[in-house]
Amino acid sequence: FQAPALYGLPLVIAANLVDWLPFLGNKLAKDARMHSLRDLTLIEQPTLLPIPQSYKNQNGNSGKELITLDSESRSKSPFYSFWDYHLAYQEQKTTPTKVAQLLVEALEEGNDKHHWMRSFDAKSVLEQAEASTERYKQGNPISQLDGVLVTIKEEMDVQGHETKGGSAFINVGTPAEHDATVPQRLREAGAIIVGHTVMNELGWDTFTVNPNTGTPRNPYDLVSSCGGSSGGSSASVASGLVPISIGADAGGSIRIPSSFCGLYGLKTTFGRLSSAGGLPLSQTLDVYGPITATADDLALTYSIVAGPDDRDPNTFYQPAVTLKDYGLTENLEGLTIATVPEWEAKVVEPEILKRIHVFRDHFEKLGAKIVEVDLPDVDLVGTGKCNVVFLILSRLNNGLSAHTITICSEMCNFAHQFSPKSSAYLPHTRLMMAIADTITSQDYYKAQQVRTHVMERLRQYFQNDKIDLFLLPTTAIQAPEIPKKAIAHGMSDTVTTINAMVYATLGNFTGVPAVSVPAGFHNGKPIGMQLIGEWWNEALLLRMAKVCEQTPGIERKHPEKQWYGGILEKALKE
């Protein structure tokens, strides 16, 4: 069974049909193999906190000091990074106030057309900028992010803004009284919080087609998707408005838009960043993380927002936040990096593999050991000869995964909190809710047993086989074009969604960290490459992002058609 792509009125009709004919949702779920775990016999304990017991530490650095990066080895990029802002302010070539004024002008002029931001408060932005200007004037910036512009996905509370999660009605009339922990930490470091970026409704797809808010377009190709569900975040960075945005990732929603828009995106270990103050859309999968213009922006932002938080018990298990060996980019001796030929064979666009092999060869030249593995094509314990983990986890061959069962169950549970208003959801969301409503407690329980099994297999790779990293594509495709019919009512395109998510869900389902880095271009559109690391080892992923940034033969350029990086240039001339 291959679900048809639905846009416009056919999607509206389909959503209405599953509302009126409940058995249809059951049929769709069954055909999509969402009930495929029911006949399996599994013996594992279910896992809801995707951190293995041996990785549960209780010595995190709750009182950490802010990390400072070395300007001698700063990122070289066609994009403006925090370095450009920070040094310009420090040398008094311009001020945060001048930059903020130009940003506000750009948003007031272009946001209705480009749909980067769901909400922004010009008064608040200018007040934050004035305070930062005064700190630089006194020679006392709080951190290297002081006065740097940052946008936040509309999944996290930002004081004074309504956290609608891409919907038309959630929290309407109820602005947040306080920041979520992540934007709060950025604000405490002096960053200027611009406001909320546009996202998919409830984050329930990967292309940020949202009739509620308008659909942000890919700055490199204005008829194509900028990815999702953190699409407004990636667009705000790729267009040069800001160097940093905070996204959320329950099924690739940081890495996919980073790949489609040629950016750096870090999906952190589950529990590394606090989720306090965020919408509980998918509580065992969703993590927050930065989407940035450069590797240095990624590393510095991570170091500021990561760490234990009394408001989120899941953060208590982490070790200290560090950027260990971040500057060690000329020698990779001692590292073992695994490739997965069976997964690489599923890439739809062959040029993606060519770029990944450039990185692979460079890593090997620097001394890394490259090995090939299966990830993970193993029998489920207690089921005999049943090689289903690869099918279940990766969603290949039109199978839907244990990850999909988990995310749909959890997101549907959140969506039903607003049942009296559920008819106000977009057609795609209503269609997904109808299908998810057929998932039983048995399905969910067995999905968590599968999670236990796959996490153990990954643990063996890391601890027994001494693999440090997995090298994979970020997506199987480049940014797809958005059909014109999708703009008014949304879209549902299962095949394209699977091709976008296929390499992403492993990181979410098992809780391990992953980073997507720019890998050049094909036909004018960006390509992304992904590295997956061991639980809590973001430091190695960030070091590798820096290595990738310096890899020869990988083109990097900013967009031409939708580029607002001139804001800083203009401020420097005034």
Side-chain angles (χ1 to χ4, degrees):
F1 172 78
Q2 182 169 301
L6 297 174
Y7 315 107
L9 289 178
L11 177 59
V12 176
I13 293 169
N16 288 335
L17 282 175
V18 294
D19 284 343
W20 299 332
L21 303 172
F23 72 87
L24 184 57
N26 191 73
K27 176 70 166 63
L28 291 171
K30 186 176 180 180
D31 287 345
R33 298 179 59 86
M34 197 174 283
H35 301 165
S36 62
L37 303 186
R38 292 180 180 178
D39 295 331
L40 299 181
T41 300
L42 304 171
I43 64 172
E44 288 85 356
Q45 291 289 322
T47 293
L48 289 172
L49 175 64
I51 302 297
Q53 189 62 37
S54 60
Y55 288 81
K56 291 181 179 177
N57 303 272
Q58 292 198 342
N59 59 344
N61 51 341
S62 56
K64 64 178 184 178
E65 295 183 2
L66 292 176
I67 292 173
T68 300
L69 296 187
D70 182 3
S71 62
E72 293 298 317
S73 57
R74 58 180 288 189
S75 290
K76 294 178 174 61
S77 171
F79 286 82
Y80 291 108
S81 73
F82 82 85
W83 286 115
D84 298 289
Y85 292 89
H86 175 64
L87 295 176
Y89 300 153
Q90 206 168 43
E91 296 165 9
Q92 297 186 3
K93 293 180 178 178
T94 189
T95 67
T97 298
K98 289 180 181 178
V99 170
Q101 288 170 341
L102 293 170
L103 173 78
V104 168
E105 289 176 11
L107 287 174
E108 290 178 344
E109 179 182 337
N111 194 56
D112 288 344
K113 176 183 178 183
H114 299 302
H115 310 296
W116 310 294
M117 305 296 299
R118 180 72 187 267
S119 64
F120 68 95
D121 182 344
K123 180 181 178 182
S124 172
V125 170
L126 294 174
E127 287 176 349
Q128 294 175 71
E130 288 285 358
S132 179
T133 296
E134 185 60 27
R135 290 192 292 271
Y136 276 101
K137 184 178 179 181
Q138 298 298 325
N140 294 310
I142 301 171
S143 76
Q144 290 175 317
L145 277 193
D146 204 332
V148 177
L149 305 163
V150 180
T151 58
I152 308 291
K153 185 178 183 180
E154 200 198 14
E155 189 176 321
M156 289 156 269
D157 285 348
V158 173
Q159 186 178 26
H161 295 256
E162 299 169 350
T163 310
K164 300 176 187 176
S167 76
F169 58 89
I170 295 173
N171 287 326
V172 168
T174 309
E177 296 182 2
H178 307 283
D179 287 332
T181 296
V182 170
Q184 176 188 343
R185 288 178 173 176
L186 289 165
R187 202 187 294 268
E188 289 172 349
I192 298 173
I193 305 301
V194 178
H196 277 145
T197 57
V198 167
M199 60 180 285
N200 276 100
E201 186 173 63
L202 305 189
W204 216 335
D205 205 0
T206 57
F207 307 115
T208 316
V209 176
N210 191 338
N212 291 328
T213 60
T215 296
R217 302 306 184 98
N218 192 311
Y220 287 96
D221 182 44
L222 299 181
V223 299
S224 295
S225 169
C226 56
S229 59
S230 307
S233 289
S234 63
S236 68
V237 177
S239 63
L241 273 177
V242 299
I244 299 163
S245 187
I246 302 296
D249 193 319
S253 290
I254 287 173
R255 291 160 289 158
I256 294 168
S258 295
S259 176
F260 285 177
C261 289
L263 302 170
Y264 294 84
L266 179 66
K267 181 266 168 199
T268 50
T269 305
F270 187 88
R272 181 60 103 170
L273 268 64
S274 173
S275 62
L279 296 177
L281 299 177
S282 184
Q283 290 181 288
T284 74
L285 298 169
D286 205 11
V287 300
Y288 301 149
I291 296 173
T292 68
T294 72
D296 284 359
D297 290 307
L298 197 72
L300 183 63
T301 304
Y302 161 77
S303 73
I304 288 171
V305 297
D309 177 21
D310 290 341
R311 296 199 291 164
D312 183 356
N314 289 332
T315 64
F316 295 167
Y317 299 105
Q318 63 182 288
V321 176
T322 75
L323 295 181
K324 182 177 181 291
D325 295 331
Y326 180 67
L328 186 58
T329 59
E330 300 298 325
N331 188 337
L332 298 182
E333 291 182 5
L335 287 183
T336 299
I337 302 175
T339 62
V340 190
E342 190 169 4
W343 277 32
E344 289 184 353
K346 304 299 180 181
V347 166
V348 176
E349 175 48 68
E351 288 294 325
I352 294 174
L353 283 185
K354 291 181 181 179
R355 302 304 192 282
I356 289 174
H357 292 163
V358 171
F359 285 117
R360 180 198 63 191
D361 295 345
H362 184 62
F363 298 159
E364 195 166 29
K365 183 179 179 181
L366 293 179
K369 179 182 178 181
I370 307 296
V371 299
E372 294 182 354
V373 300
D374 296 325
L375 179 64
D377 190 10
V378 296
D379 289 348
L380 282 176
V381 177
T383 63
K385 296 289 184 179
C386 184
N387 291 335
V388 300
V389 172
F390 183 74
L391 171 66
I392 291 170
L393 190 61
S394 67
R395 309 202 329 167
L396 298 176
N397 303 324
N398 294 323
L400 282 179
S401 66
H403 168 272
T404 301
I405 291 170
T406 303
I407 194 171
C408 287
S409 297
E410 294 175 0
M411 296 181 81
C412 192
N413 178 68
F414 174 82
H416 276 305
Q417 295 179 38
F418 309 94
S419 289
K421 297 182 178 179
S422 59
S423 62
Y425 284 122
L426 293 171
H428 172 263
T429 304
R430 289 162 49 209
L431 187 62
M432 293 303 298
M433 289 175 67
I435 296 172
D437 278 337
T438 72
I439 298 172
T440 66
S441 58
Q442 179 189 29
D443 297 323
Y444 187 81
Y445 189 92
K446 288 193 173 185
Q448 309 324 304
Q449 290 179 290
V450 171
R451 194 199 301 238
T452 303
H453 184 78
V454 179
M455 285 175 61
E456 173 58 19
R457 188 68 188 95
L458 269 186
R459 187 197 64 77
Q460 292 173 11
Y461 275 126
F462 289 129
Q463 294 193 344
N464 299 349
D465 300 337
K466 304 303 180 183
I467 288 173
D468 297 291
L469 297 162
F470 291 94
L471 173 62
L472 299 167
T474 303
T475 63
I477 56 175
Q478 292 180 275
E481 291 189 8
I482 300 172
K484 292 181 180 179
K485 294 180 180 179
I487 301 302
H489 299 290
M491 63 182 282
S492 178
D493 187 343
T494 303
V495 173
T496 307
T497 297
I498 289 173
N499 286 332
M501 293 179 66
V502 62
Y503 301 114
T505 56
L506 176 66
N508 300 102
F509 198 54
T510 61
V512 293
V515 67
S516 181
V517 302
F521 294 83
H522 175 58
N523 290 334
K525 295 182 185 182
I527 290 171
M529 184 273 286
Q530 179 179 204
L531 289 160
I532 294 176
E534 193 172 8
W535 290 273
W536 308 127
N537 204 357
E538 286 88 354
L540 178 57
L541 291 176
L542 292 164
R543 174 189 172 196
M544 293 303 296
K546 187 74 168 176
V547 171
C548 291
E549 191 174 54
Q550 298 172 356
T551 299
I554 299 297
E555 183 184 12
R556 193 89 199 281
K557 59 185 178 183
H558 66 65
E560 297 295 336
K561 295 179 181 179
Q562 193 185 93
W563 176 243
Y564 286 80
I567 287 175
L568 182 57
E569 293 176 7
K570 189 174 180 181
L572 289 170
K573 293 176 181 178
E574 290 187 357

